[in-house]
Amino acid sequence: SDQLLRRNGSLVASSSAGPVGSAASGGVGEDVAKAAWRLACTPTASHSAWESLEDRAIDACSSLRGKDVVLLLHACTVAQRRPRQLLEKLAAEIPEKLPQLGVASLCVCLHAFAQMRVRDGKLFSAATRRALHPDLRLELEPSHVASLAYSHVRCVLMDKGL
């Protein structure tokens, strides 16, 4: 199951195998996600470094696993980046990766899109349906419902299930 850990005051995605990036490299997607997190943790990261990473992430989108998507989105949020092309591509990819994401990860994804003011009704609807699915009810906590509601309100979206 996935979780969120606090590292340097920020949330970091983790899996049952440990924090993302703690094991040996899991491929291009994981490498891109780790690089994004390192840039987000570097206050002096250059604009060109971010642009290069964003280009790599766009190319690697289909190879990103659910935990990589979460970490990449969280890194962009922490760094206050709004890479429109990458976000559009991720919004299209995330619905296919929903089975890889637990409730907490879904909340992080939607929160990131909301923070970056990306309003994608299809993504929000699919992710919210997944988070509220009866199979995930045991994971669902009041803080998750609050996060989902906040993300919807921030993007001026509605969901009957909420």
Side-chain angles (χ1 to χ4, degrees):
S1 79
D2 59 294
Q3 304 171 355
L4 295 175
L5 300 176
R6 287 219 175 258
R7 188 177 290 163
N8 298 331
S10 296
L11 293 175
V12 180
S14 73
S15 70
S16 57
V20 172
S22 65
S25 178
V28 174
E30 186 174 342
D31 292 344
V32 168
K34 285 181 191 179
W37 183 248
R38 281 192 303 273
L39 276 179
C41 292
T42 307
T44 58
S46 70
H47 181 71
S48 62
W50 272 105
E51 285 183 338
S52 174
L53 178 107
E54 290 160 6
D55 290 342
R56 284 180 40 218
I58 289 168
D59 292 341
C61 245
S62 62
S63 66
L64 293 169
R65 292 178 296 181
K67 67 178 188 172
D68 304 327
V69 170
V70 173
L71 186 58
L72 179 58
L73 284 170
H74 185 62
C76 289
T77 304
V78 168
Q80 299 180 342
R81 299 286 303 175
R82 291 184 183 168
R84 292 290 177 197
Q85 287 182 317
L86 175 59
L87 294 172
E88 287 173 13
K89 193 137 183 187
L90 287 173
E93 290 280 334
I94 289 172
E96 296 172 22
K97 300 176 191 308
L98 289 178
Q100 300 173 28
L101 300 169
V103 174
S105 292
L106 291 167
C107 289
V108 171
C109 288
L110 293 186
H111 182 79
F113 277 90
Q115 287 296 104
M116 293 183 262
R117 305 278 201 287
V118 176
R119 187 174 190 238
D120 188 304
K122 288 181 183 179
L123 168 66
F124 272 70
S125 178
T128 302
R129 274 194 316 273
R130 175 71 179 151
L132 299 176
H133 192 275
D135 291 348
L136 297 178
R137 290 282 176 172
L138 293 176
E139 281 184 54
L140 193 62
E141 296 179 12
S143 60
H144 296 132
V145 176
S147 176
L148 290 169
Y150 169 83
S151 296
H152 280 76
V153 167
R154 184 152 181 137
C155 288
V156 193
L157 294 169
M158 291 179 44
D159 188 278
K160 292 177 186 176
L162 285 176

